[in-house]
């Protein structure tokens, strides 16, 4: 009785086992995987080449900018150097003129005494 009740409660389960003749599905799966890997490789290589070209272009552009900035900095440095030289020359001239004025004032003072 118990077995009869268990048999009623158990549903029929069908299990299919692929036979040896059904391998073409597996072959297409492997073929599709190889195609996907090939596509990935093409995209990857293309990305590398494009990245290299763009990097080279950008490097050249920044190199030109750096050269322009360096020439501008050198010009500014030279200008500042010339200004400093002019200032030192002016200060020397002023000190020489002051000395002359002091000597002149001393002579005048000595004459008045």
């Amino acid at each position: 009785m118990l077995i009869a009740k268990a048999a009623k409660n158990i549903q029929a389960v069908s299990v299919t086992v692929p036979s040896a003749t059904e391998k073409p599905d597996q072959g297409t799966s492997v073929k599709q995987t190889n195609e996907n890997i090939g596509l990935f490789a093409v995209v990857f290589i293309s990305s590398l080449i494009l990245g290299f070209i763009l990097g080279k272009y950008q490097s050249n552009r920044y190199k030109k900018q750096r050269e322009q900035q360096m020439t501008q900095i050198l010009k500014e440095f030279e200008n500042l150097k010339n200004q400093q030289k002019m200032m030192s020359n002016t200060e020397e001239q002023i000190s020489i003129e002051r000395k002359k004025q002091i000597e002149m004032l001393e002579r005048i003072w000595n004459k008045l005494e």
Side-chain angles (χ1 to χ4, degrees):
M1 257 196 178
L2 193 59
I3 296 174
K5 286 183 181 178
K8 287 180 184 177
N9 290 334
I10 297 176
Q11 296 176 354
V13 177
S14 64
V15 177
T16 58
V17 177
S19 65
T21 59
E22 293 183 8
K23 294 227 174 186
D25 290 338
Q26 187 180 10
T28 57
S29 172
V30 169
K31 184 178 179 182
Q32 189 173 7
T33 303
N34 286 341
E35 288 175 1
N36 290 343
I37 290 173
L39 179 64
F40 176 76
V42 167
V43 169
F44 181 74
I45 298 295
S46 299
S47 298
L48 281 178
I49 292 171
L50 184 63
F52 179 75
I53 291 170
L54 290 176
K56 204 65 165 150
Y57 170 73
Q58 203 167 23
S59 172
N60 288 339
R61 192 176 80 187
Y62 285 124
K63 188 176 181 181
K64 289 177 184 177
Q65 283 181 349
R66 279 191 304 250
E67 288 174 0
Q68 290 173 352
Q69 288 174 348
M70 285 299 293
T71 56
Q72 184 179 3
I73 288 172
L74 288 174
K75 285 179 184 177
E76 288 181 24
F77 178 74
E78 289 296 323
N79 287 339
L80 288 173
K81 193 174 177 182
N82 290 338
Q83 286 177 359
Q84 186 179 15
K85 190 181 279 187
M86 287 173 47
M87 290 292 288
S88 66
N89 289 340
T90 306
E91 288 175 1
E92 287 177 18
Q93 287 177 353
I94 290 174
S95 68
I96 291 171
E97 287 180 17
R98 281 187 183 162
K99 285 180 183 178
K100 286 181 181 179
Q101 288 174 352
I102 291 172
E103 287 176 0
M104 218 163 160
L105 286 172
E106 285 177 349
R107 284 187 213 147
I108 294 172
W109 184 259
N110 286 337
K111 285 184 181 179
L112 290 176
E113 288 183 347

